[in-house]
Amino acid sequence: MRRPRTLVLLAALALTGLGSQAAAAPPDTGATKSDNITHLASVPMTGPLTGGVNTDIAFAGKRAYVGNYAGFAIYDIGDPANPQLISQVSCPGSQNDISIYDGLLFLSTDQSRSDSSCQSIPQSPKIKESWEGIKIFDVRDPANPRYVAAVETKCGSHTHTLIPDPAHRSVFIYNSSYFPNAEYPDCQPPNDRIDIVKVPLRELAKAAVVASPVLFPDGGFPGSETGYETSGCHGITAFPARKIAAAACMGDGVLLDISRPAAPRVIDQVQDAANFSFWHGATFNGDGSKVVFMDELGGGGGAECNAEVGPSKGATAVFDITNRKLKFRSYYKIPRHQAAQENCVSHNGSLIPVRGRDIMVQAWYQGGFSVWDFTDSARPHEIGYFDRPPRVPASFGGYWSVYYYNGTIYGTEAVTAFDTFKITDPRTDPAARVVLSELNVQTQPAFRR
């Protein structure tokens, strides 16, 4: 979430080190929620991450890995009601989106800095030597993460998506970035492409950009009074089982064929000039026959969940995938109007794997989170929610990412804590039978519907 840049500008933190912090009682004074949601625990920010902004979450085994503008943290979630902080690493650099694979942690840096180290300082993107890109850490010992490699990418790394290639002991990374500028020597317009990084798992020093395919040879969406011109992608979600991916690219929603990971191919492209401002992210259903796209109207800092904005802007759009084409079916937006000072818009969520149903949990910043059912693509509806009152004094906050993993809902409250929740409902209870060993939400596993 880079837009607007003035929303979250963090000073570089000089602190480094590890810490230990137990969960606290959930601070739910004044919160409203559905009866089927229980707030289990809340672990406040501490040490080098205090004052940062919590972002994305990845999971492996009984651990959660949480990105933060100031670095990242690793939690033991063996007991979801009492998560324990194992370690945290100070490594400032917007926005530190995170993923995990084979004991390696990948971190996106979308801020021009003096070099690739964790001790770097912000530096103008007009300076050619400035660095942005993807950092790689060895986290096989979660108490002692080690920084082992880095790959510089043009225009930085806002988000990234892993596509494993186990046959060749490698992983491909689809790197998303946007907002080129003619004054930035390493980020020139039109930036109608993505960068693809290949990481040989046994030779990390050879990790490098291997392709930069152009997705928009025609330039993509030209922009409008309410919508951003396409100049790159914000987020990509892969569905390896069907060899497809959904790319949310500012003014365009795109369906990709990824059967050749280093050479993805556009197979369909949609736009929504009437209602979408910024195509932000995507989530497939369990068998890859549907995909929902999020619109981050207001860049995450705007109060977009009110009667004036309405139900179709800053919402999530549901598409059926028919003959490898995207067919729009409906919009979904939380049914509770938020206060004028509450930043609220459609944001990061994940599927809850229930056979025969399409259900997901989704973050809405200060709108809290919503559990909603889109089994009937034309009539999505909410089945659970959690929502705190406005922050006092008014300020940025709320849930950045809310994901379901092995029976528990996990959320990053952007400026306060890492939270855990339980949903108890006959419509979602069967999902607890699906047990994963690892989850990067942007690399979505298949489930039988």
Side-chain angles (χ1 to χ4, degrees), residues 358-372:
D358 299 323
I359 300 174
M360 71 176 292
V361 59
Q362 186 178 357
W364 293 81
Y365 285 109
Q366 286 197 67
F369 70 80
S370 176
V371 180
W372 58 286

Side-chain angles (χ1 to χ4, degrees), residues 34-91:
S34 55
D35 292 340
N36 56 2
I37 298 292
T38 302
H39 194 174
L40 300 176
S42 185
V43 186
M45 293 181 189
T46 59
L49 304 192
T50 303
V53 173
N54 283 330
T55 57
D56 214 10
I57 317 170
F59 304 90
K62 294 182 179 180
R63 299 187 186 110
Y65 304 80
V66 176
N68 183 293
Y69 271 59
F72 67 89
I74 304 175
Y75 295 90
D76 182 333
I77 55 171
D79 178 1
N82 189 29
Q84 300 288 314
L85 177 62
I86 299 172
S87 64
Q88 49 191 340
V89 174
S90 174
C91 196

Side-chain angles (χ1 to χ4, degrees), residues 84-145:
Q84 300 288 314
L85 177 62
I86 299 172
S87 64
Q88 49 191 340
V89 174
S90 174
C91 196
S94 166
Q95 61 185 9
N96 282 338
D97 258 32
I98 199 166
S99 58
I100 189 81
Y101 184 74
D102 196 32
L104 297 175
L105 183 147
F106 301 89
L107 206 63
S108 283
T109 299
D110 192 24
Q111 179 187 42
S112 294
R113 301 188 69 86
S114 56
D115 57 55
S116 63
S117 75
C118 285
Q119 292 73 47
S120 64
I121 60 174
Q123 183 168 283
S124 171
K126 297 179 182 180
I127 301 173
K128 183 168 179 56
E129 292 72 23
S130 294
W131 187 92
E132 298 179 79
I134 296 172
K135 299 175 178 128
I136 305 173
F137 293 80
D138 183 331
V139 293
R140 287 174 293 180
D141 178 357
N144 296 285

Side-chain angles (χ1 to χ4, degrees), residues 229-259:
E229 174 187 2
T230 297
S231 61
C233 295
H234 178 280
I236 300 172
T237 297
F239 197 87
R242 290 191 63 181
K243 300 185 186 305
I244 57 175
C249 303
M250 302 182 73
D252 292 85
V254 179
L255 189 64
L256 297 173
D257 181 325
I258 60 169
S259 54

Side-chain angles (χ1 to χ4, degrees), residues 162-290:
L162 301 187
I163 300 177
D165 184 13
H168 297 94
R169 296 180 180 176
S170 299
V171 62
F172 289 93
I173 302 175
Y174 283 12
N175 181 70
S176 297
S177 60
Y178 56 98
F179 276 168
N181 189 305
E183 296 184 352
Y184 300 168
D186 292 331
C187 186
Q188 292 286 299
N191 194 45
D192 291 327
R193 68 191 208 302
I194 59 172
D195 291 322
I196 300 178
V197 175
K198 184 177 182 180
V199 182
L201 298 176
R202 291 192 172 184
E203 297 180 281
L204 298 177
K206 293 185 178 181
V209 176
V210 295
S212 296
V214 173
L215 301 185
F216 305 100
D218 63 351
F221 185 65
S224 65
E225 290 185 4
T226 58
Y228 276 79
E229 174 187 2
T230 297
S231 61
C233 295
H234 178 280
I236 300 172
T237 297
F239 197 87
R242 290 191 63 181
K243 300 185 186 305
I244 57 175
C249 303
M250 302 182 73
D252 292 85
V254 179
L255 189 64
L256 297 173
D257 181 325
I258 60 169
S259 54
R260 297 171 58 205
R265 181 174 59 88
V266 174
I267 52 179
D268 199 19
Q269 179 179 350
V270 292
Q271 299 171 347
D272 185 351
N275 288 304
F276 261 47
S277 171
F278 190 90
W279 295 69
H280 173 275
T283 299
F284 289 96
N285 70 338
D287 63 2
S289 62
K290 301 179 185 180

